[in-house]
């Protein structure tokens, strides 16, 4: 049968009676290469498919699912298939339908870990003393509950912020640590009361008939571990277990998989250690090694042929990831036709970056490329703002994937509510949104009273608040808080007349305690929220006044609500996992942004390697063209800062990259361009390369070692002569930096110094910004 041509096979498949389907030819198999086929057809026993990006892991997994159903090895309801997002689950279902012809009836266990666990938990809630109608708390509810507990227990919430405890809970739950099992050295919260608080919290949730996100997994694992009959039932049911993006599972998820697959042992996991990017959320890439240990008889399959990207993109990505020390290592090859090298483009600042990317997108569109074939992948959500504004300005339809649009983010909406209230004190929606955010003791009861008064007298909440301050209707504590709030809004309203609107925003965010609230928040998202707030202040600077800015926001929010049709995709690198696009833009490759300073500060080498994996994920999303951008200047809180190109740019193999100045000028020496202004490409080039010694030195070294790329021909010599060879500094030397103060040099790399600052910690800085002491 295998000798049949593909066409014949299809025809035979189409025409045969339903009853024979299970024995017939499977045309979908002919689309696969031999190791992929092995992954699909090795149906008995554990299978680990470990392979690099774009090698067809997801395709193999989807085909395996189709094959199981098609060959009647299992009914759809007997297969547990875990994907990383609900969207991926939907896609997988559609593709399975496509592969075996016709819609698949019911795939109840195809989804994310969370969606699968909700289903199991609803069935057996009573086993963990819950009712099946339990509610799932969102983060806000969870924080409120922790706050109550902390209050009742007489713990100082300033010293021990509820959000800090929430992230500890999260970490325990990711590792399937149940209450009562917290290791003593992790109980430090509130002077050693961490474990006890976990127990109290857990009890409270039970009384409320509620769970948090982490509980969904933890409860299910507990049920399976403590109720052999239930476990046996699921083990029987799930004849096959399939897992995509396996490298990003956490311990609790791994335990769940191991428990469920223990009976049939038909578990197939696919993943890539080089794409493990959720360590900060508890994912453990070691699960790959655990798998091989727990299932020593596993068939381990490797795929090496990449079907997605051009050789240049693949080589650039492989060269980059080779810098990571902790990896299993693998080779990748492709038969795709030669493509353009990866473009690296230096620009003046973030606006210029957005402008050039917008222009590139329009140019590609004019050549017939679909918008949905293009994506902009950013490291941090604050970077999205400039692109969204640019796309709106150009009228380019776009879609933000995996999260809200910039102006729809929680922290941005909160900040806007403060600003709107200052602009118009009768804005009830804004009042309601932030009068108790951060918490200032204005609970639901106080708000209810305010509402009653406001409604009774047909006045706004703010006016009602002023009336309430003169009466005894509110409890003294609530009245005091309300007075503080009303006075603050009045103060800001007065200030608004005197100070620039950006300063006003900083003042409000600061005095209201809003920024402080996120600073105290130890959850992984807090840092990016703070960055977004900074970006917001920055964005306001582009408008003449507050009213102008708020009008702009309303317009932006109004536009483009409909997300159908052909659109450019904008998303974070994290959200891009598993996806692919012909043309990919990778902006903001600068030290501090990418690699993220926060990751490196918090997790050192490990953090840096995770950042590098993220860069690898980014590059490998591109099928035909990848364009990396870095800006020479970034504005943070209104102050310009020199930016250093990301070390990841230096690490890309030079034969696969090309430095480009501007579209259309590919390869032309920038110095040939006549009379351009400060913001134009030539100047950008000069500013970028000449004002930035780190980059200049790196390029100079490259120019010496190898033939320079065409663009640099005119410059190579200049750079060689202008860049001094030896650093004026020595490792161990004490220096002074204007921003970070005193510190000692721990390493020297070209003109970049790694310095352990006495106050600011470890940072990489430019030599030209430090002084000898
Ligand atoms: P990632 O690591 O990014 O998740 P992956 O290994 O899951 O990637 P897929 O998304 O399954 O890779 O496949 C990448 C691309 O290669 C897809 O466009 C897919 O259709 C194509 N592809 C995979 N296998 C083959 C094959 N055997 N023949 C032709 N194209 C293939
Ligand atoms: Mg995949």
């Amino acid at each position: 049968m295998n000798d049949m041509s593909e066409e014949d096979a299809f025809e035979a498949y189409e025409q045969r009676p339903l009853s024979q389907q299970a024995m017939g030819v499977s045309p979908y198999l002919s689309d696969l290469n031999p190791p992929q086929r092995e992954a699909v057809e090795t149906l008995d026993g554990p299978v680990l498919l470990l392979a690099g990006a774009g090698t067809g892991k997801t395709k193999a997994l989807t085909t395996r699912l189709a094959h199981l159903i098609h060959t009647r090895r299992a009914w759809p309801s007997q297969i547990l298939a875990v994907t990383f997002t609900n969207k991926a689950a939907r896609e997988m279902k559609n593709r399975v339908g496509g592969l075996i012809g016709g819609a698949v009836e019911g795939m109840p266990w195809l989804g994310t870990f969370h969606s699968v666990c909700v289903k199991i938990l609803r069935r057996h809630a009573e086993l963990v003393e819950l009712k099946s109608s339990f509610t799932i708390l969102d983060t806000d509810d969870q924080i409120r509950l922790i706050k109550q507990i902390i209050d009742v227990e007489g713990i100082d919430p300033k010293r021990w912020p509820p959000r800090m405890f929430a992230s500890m809970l999260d970490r325990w739950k990711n590792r399937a640590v149940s209450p009562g099992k917290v290791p003593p050295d992790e109980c430090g919260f509130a002077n050693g009361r961490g474990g006890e608080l976990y127990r109290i919290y857990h009890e409270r949730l039970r009384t409320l008939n509620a769970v948090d996100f982490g509980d969904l997994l933890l409860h299910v694992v507990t049920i399976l571990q403590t109720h052999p009959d239930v476990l046996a039932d699921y083990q029987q049911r799930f004849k096959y277990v399939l897992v995509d993006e396996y490298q990003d599972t956490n311990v609790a998820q791994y335990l769940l998989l191991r428990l469920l697959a223990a009976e049939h042992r038909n578990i197939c996991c696919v993943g890539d250690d080089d794409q493990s990017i959720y360590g900060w959320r508890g994912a453990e890439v070691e699960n790959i090694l655990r798998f091989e240990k727990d299932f020593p008889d596993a068939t381990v399959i490797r795929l090496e042929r990449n079907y997605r990207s051009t050789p240049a993109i693949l080589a650039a990505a492989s060269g980059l990831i080779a810098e990571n020390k902790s990896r299993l290592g693998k080779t990748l090859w492709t038969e795709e036709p030669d493509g353009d090298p990866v473009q690296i483009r230096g620009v003046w600042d973030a606006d210029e970056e957005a402008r050039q990317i917008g222009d590139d997108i329009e140019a590609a569109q004019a050549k017939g490329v679909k918008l949905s074939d293009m994506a902009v992948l950013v490291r941090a959500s604050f970077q999205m703002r400039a692109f969204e504004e640019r796309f709106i300005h150009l009228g380019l339809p776009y879609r933000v994937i995996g999260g809200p649009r910039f102006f729809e983010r929680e922290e941005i909406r909160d900040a806007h509510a403060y600003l709107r209230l200052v602009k118009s004190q009768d804005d009830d929606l804004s009042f309601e949104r932030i009068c108790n955010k951060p918490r200032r003791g204005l609970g639901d009861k106080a708000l209810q009273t305010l509402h009653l008064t406001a409604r009774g007298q047909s006045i706004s909440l703010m006016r009602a608040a002023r009336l309430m301050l003169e009466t005894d209707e509110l409890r003294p504590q609530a009245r005091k808080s309300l007075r503080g709030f009303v006075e603050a809004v009045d103060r800001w309203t007065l200030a608004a007349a005197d100070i620039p609107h950006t300063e006003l925003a900083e003042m409000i965010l600061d005095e209201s305690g809003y920024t402080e609230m996120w600073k105290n928040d130890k959850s992984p998202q807090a840092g990016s929220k703070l960055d977004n707030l900074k970006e917001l202040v920055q964005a306001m600077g582009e408008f003449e006044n507050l009213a102008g800015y708020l009008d702009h926001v309303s317009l932006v929010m109004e536009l483009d609500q409909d997300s159908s049709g052909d659109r450019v995709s904008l998303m974070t690198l994290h959200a891009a996992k598993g996806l692919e696009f012909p043309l990919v833009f990778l902006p903001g490759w600068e030290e501090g942004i990418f690699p993220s300073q926060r990751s490196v500060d918090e997790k050192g080498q490990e953090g840096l390697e995770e950042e590098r994996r993220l860069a690898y994920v980014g590059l490998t999303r591109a099928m035909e063209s990848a364009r990396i951008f870095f800006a020479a200047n970034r504005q943070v809180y209104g102050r310009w800062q020199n930016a250093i190109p990301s070390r990841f740019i230096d690490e890309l193999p030079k034969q696969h990259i090309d430095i480009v100045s501007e579209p259309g000028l590919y390869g032309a020496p920038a110095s040939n361009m006549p009379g351009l202004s400060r913001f134009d490409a030539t100047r950008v080039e000069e500013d970028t390369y000449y004002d930035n010694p780190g980059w200049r030195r790196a390029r100079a070294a490259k120019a010496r070692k190898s033939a320079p790329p065409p663009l640099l021909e005119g410059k190579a010599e200049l750079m060689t002569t202008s860049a001094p060879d030896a650093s004026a500094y020595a490792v161990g030397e004490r220096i002074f930096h204007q921003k970070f103060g005193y510190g000692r040099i721990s390493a020297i790399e070209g003109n970049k110094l790694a310095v352990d600052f006495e106050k600011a910690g470890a940072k990489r800085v430019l030599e030209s910004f430090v002084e000898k002491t």
Side-chain angles (χ1 to χ4, degrees):
M1 281 258 194
N2 282 343
D3 295 330
M4 250 186 194
S5 77
E6 202 173 302
E7 237 167 42
D8 291 342
F10 253 111
E11 204 165 284
Y13 173 67
E14 292 286 308
Q15 287 171 3
R16 101 208 110 122
L18 210 69
S19 58
Q20 285 173 18
Q21 274 189 16
M23 284 123 63
V25 172
S26 313
Y28 49 81
L29 290 176
S30 58
D31 284 348
L32 303 178
N33 63 30
Q36 281 178 319
R37 260 187 95 144
E38 192 188 353
V40 171
E41 293 183 301
T42 309
L43 294 178
D44 296 316
V47 175
L48 180 63
L49 179 55
L50 207 54
T55 50
K57 296 183 295 298
T58 303
K59 184 176 169 103
L61 199 74
T62 310
T63 312
R64 184 179 166 95
L65 185 50
H67 192 57
L68 287 170
I69 296 171
H70 178 66
T71 56
R72 305 264 160 100
R73 275 290 192 124
W75 296 110
S77 61
Q78 293 174 317
I79 304 170
L80 171 67
V82 187
T83 55
F84 205 70
T85 58
N86 288 315
K87 180 167 168 263
R90 277 195 301 278
E91 258 168 39
M92 193 172 275
K93 190 168 176 177
N94 289 339
R95 281 201 208 160
V96 169
L99 288 174
I100 56 178
V104 183
E105 283 306 313
M107 285 280 322
W109 302 104
L110 170 60
T112 61
F113 275 106
H114 279 124
S115 68
V116 166
C117 285
V118 172
K119 208 171 271 177
I120 298 183
L121 193 55
R122 292 243 183 253
R123 292 182 170 191
H124 308 282
E126 77 288 351
L127 300 180
V128 281
E129 294 172 56
L130 292 167
K131 295 193 203 71
S132 69
S133 57
F134 62 82
T135 35
I136 304 170
L137 295 190
D138 64 18
T139 319
D140 265 9
D141 296 335
Q142 189 198 23
I143 299 291
R144 197 173 310 152
L145 182 63
I146 298 174
K147 172 85 170 56
Q148 282 172 10
I149 295 173
I150 284 184
D151 278 350
V152 172
E153 294 300 310
I155 296 165
D156 177 8
K158 290 223 162 57
R159 182 119 193 263
W160 304 104
R163 283 177 185 273
M164 184 196 275
F165 189 65
S167 56
M168 295 178 79
L169 284 173
D170 203 40
R171 281 200 293 276
W172 287 325
K173 291 180 184 186
N174 284 340
R175 283 161 42 218
V177 176
S178 46
K181 299 236 176 86
V182 180
D185 62 334
E186 292 181 26
C187 289
F189 189 86
N191 303 320
R193 297 183 63 191
E196 178 197 343
L197 289 172
Y198 186 3
R199 267 200 304 275
I200 299 173
Y201 171 79
H202 196 72
E203 276 309 313
R204 283 287 291 146
L205 281 182
R206 194 170 292 172
T207 326
L208 293 168
N209 193 34
V211 299
D212 61 26
F213 276 114
D215 282 339
L216 293 174
L217 256 135
L218 186 56
H219 280 319
V220 171
V221 169
T222 308
I223 290 171
L224 298 179
Q225 280 172 335
T226 51
H227 292 83
D229 51 326
V230 180
L231 176 63
D233 186 43
Y234 282 100
Q235 286 179 335
Q236 284 296 326
R237 173 193 304 266
F238 295 134
K239 287 174 83 176
Y240 289 90
V241 176
L242 279 64
V243 187
D244 199 3
E245 303 284 2
Y246 175 63
Q247 75 281 356
D248 276 324
T249 50
N250 63 32
V251 170
Q253 291 164 343
Y254 179 70
L255 283 178
L256 178 72
L257 292 174
R258 202 175 62 181
L259 282 165
L260 290 176
E263 165 78 14
H264 294 290
R265 306 185 82 252
N266 294 327
I267 176 167
C268 173
C269 294
V270 316
D272 176 6
D273 59 306
D274 287 333
Q275 295 186 68
S276 158
I277 53 175
Y278 280 94
W280 55 285
R281 257 178 24 189
E284 298 209 357
V285 67
E286 290 78 16
N287 284 343
I288 292 178
L289 306 176
R290 266 184 212 135
F291 186 94
E292 291 192 76
K293 221 159 114 209
D294 285 344
F295 299 100
D297 56 330
T299 307
V300 180
I301 300 170
R302 291 178 199 275
L303 307 175
E304 295 191 337
R305 175 166 174 189
N306 173 297
Y307 288 92
R308 179 180 293 151
S309 310
T310 61
I313 293 169
L314 200 58
S318 302
L320 177 72
I321 200 66
E323 297 281 329
N324 268 8
K325 300 221 164 38
S326 53
R327 63 188 292 253
L328 302 173
K330 54 182 88 75
T331 41
L332 287 177
W333 55 275
T334 175
E335 281 187 7
E336 296 295 301
D338 263 354
D340 293 336
V342 171
Q343 280 186 17
I344 318 274
R345 221 183 286 177
V347 293
W348 175 255
D349 63 5
D351 283 346
E352 174 68 11
E353 185 178 63
R355 194 182 68 72
Q356 289 207 16
I357 290 178
D359 289 354
D360 273 25
I361 292 173
E362 286 195 321
Q365 193 185 21
K367 282 190 194 147
V369 182
K370 284 205 307 247
L371 291 178
S372 56
D373 282 345
M374 298 185 251
V376 181
L377 312 182
V378 296
R379 171 64 186 90
S381 54
F382 83 87
Q383 292 171 266
M384 288 188 186
R385 208 264 318 165
F387 293 105
E388 292 194 49
E389 300 253 10
R390 189 70 203 158
F391 294 160
I392 288 166
H393 175 81
L394 293 174
L396 266 179
Y398 72 96
R399 172 185 295 126
V400 174
I401 294 185
R405 297 189 296 167
F406 182 82
F407 289 118
E408 283 165 1
R409 289 180 178 268
E410 176 194 4
E411 61 282 10
I412 302 301
R413 281 179 182 269
D414 288 344
H416 286 162
Y418 273 104
L419 293 166
R420 290 213 162 92
L421 193 61
V422 166
K423 185 168 154 273
S424 156
Q425 292 202 355
D426 293 332
D427 185 333
D428 279 358
L429 283 178
S430 298
F431 183 99
E432 234 177 317
R433 184 171 179 107
I434 44 84
C435 70
N436 202 30
K437 197 170 182 189
R439 291 185 193 290
R440 40 176 78 91
L442 289 173
D444 292 346
K445 210 144 168 240
L447 259 183
Q448 228 173 352
T449 318
L450 281 182
H451 266 296
L452 276 178
T453 313
R455 232 173 291 145
Q457 309 211 15
S458 299
I459 51 175
S460 69
L461 286 170
M462 188 57 130
R463 282 170 208 263
R466 289 183 199 282
L467 290 181
M468 290 287 101
L469 292 181
E470 309 304 323
T471 72
D472 285 336
E473 279 166 82
L474 291 178
R475 291 212 324 265
Q477 188 52 41
R479 200 160 68 233
K480 190 166 162 233
S481 306
L482 189 61
R483 188 181 308 280
F485 179 66
V486 170
E487 284 174 2
V489 175
D490 283 345
R491 200 168 56 246
W492 299 328
T493 309
L494 268 181
D498 295 331
I499 59 175
H501 58 300
T502 46
E503 262 176 53
L504 176 74
E506 285 182 24
M507 179 179 175
I508 294 175
L509 291 172
D510 186 30
E511 291 185 5
S512 63
Y514 191 76
T515 307
E516 194 62 24
M517 177 181 96
W518 289 116
K519 279 192 182 149
N520 286 332
D521 186 320
K522 296 288 176 270
S523 67
Q525 296 79 19
S528 103
K529 289 186 187 281
L530 287 166
D531 286 344
N532 287 339
L533 290 171
K534 282 188 205 163
E535 180 67 19
L536 165 117
V537 175
Q538 165 93 9
M540 289 176 69
E542 290 167 20
F543 295 84
E544 212 166 297
N545 51 36
L546 182 59
Y549 171 73
L550 289 175
D551 284 349
H552 168 76
V553 172
S554 310
L555 278 175
V556 170
M557 301 275 277
E558 185 79 356
L559 281 171
D560 232 19
Q561 290 295 359
D562 163 32
S563 68
S564 57
D566 191 28
R567 275 154 203 275
V568 181
S569 298
L570 175 59
M571 72 196 93
T572 62
L573 289 159
H574 280 102
K577 209 163 73 147
L579 306 180
E580 61 188 19
F581 302 89
L583 177 50
V584 169
F585 297 92
L586 299 159
W589 282 42
E590 294 139 38
E591 286 291 297
I593 293 184
F594 195 31
S596 140
Q597 189 66 42
R598 201 171 293 121
S599 304
V600 178
D601 285 350
E602 281 169 15
K603 292 179 88 189
Q605 189 61 23
E606 222 178 280
L608 177 63
E609 295 212 346
E610 182 150 319
E611 292 288 307
R612 198 177 277 113
R613 289 195 290 270
L614 204 46
Y616 174 77
V617 168
L619 273 170
T620 53
R621 298 310 94 201
M623 299 160 82
E624 288 157 25
S625 175
R627 300 181 195 171
I628 295 171
F629 289 72
F630 66 90
N633 303 281
R634 286 267 163 196
Q635 212 177 2
V636 181
Y637 265 145
R639 278 181 292 278
W640 285 100
Q641 290 180 2
N642 250 42
I644 305 178
S646 169
R647 69 190 80 190
F648 299 152
I649 293 179
D650 286 352
E651 291 169 2
L652 294 170
K654 45 196 160 304
Q655 63 274 32
H656 299 296
I657 61 171
D658 213 343
I659 316 287
V660 185
S661 58
E662 207 189 59
L665 295 174
Y666 193 84
S671 53
N672 286 352
M673 291 177 62
L676 288 171
S677 73
R678 186 174 127 97
F679 286 91
D680 284 323
T682 312
R683 262 316 288 249
V684 167
E685 277 281 312
E686 288 175 0
D687 282 312
T688 306
Y689 295 119
Y690 295 119
D691 284 352
N692 191 328
W695 179 254
R696 187 173 59 202
R697 169 174 288 268
R699 297 306 317 168
K702 284 177 190 196
R704 278 196 301 277
K705 273 197 220 139
S706 62
L711 171 69
L712 292 171
E713 264 166 8
K715 285 181 165 187
E717 218 185 15
L718 227 174
M719 290 192 285
T720 314
T721 48
S722 64
D725 270 344
S727 172
Y729 293 87
V731 172
E733 194 173 353
R734 190 161 184 267
I735 51 91
F736 178 77
H737 184 277
Q738 293 249 326
K739 188 155 156 241
F740 303 125
Y742 289 99
R744 215 166 271 289
I745 299 175
S746 59
I748 301 176
E749 198 182 296
N751 278 24
K752 292 172 215 161
L753 307 177
V755 182
D756 291 326
F757 286 101
E758 287 161 19
K759 294 236 164 62
K763 300 249 182 284
R764 277 159 62 92
V765 296
L766 275 180
E767 197 187 69
S768 53
F769 285 90
V770 306
E771 292 163 26
K772 287 176 180 282
T773 57

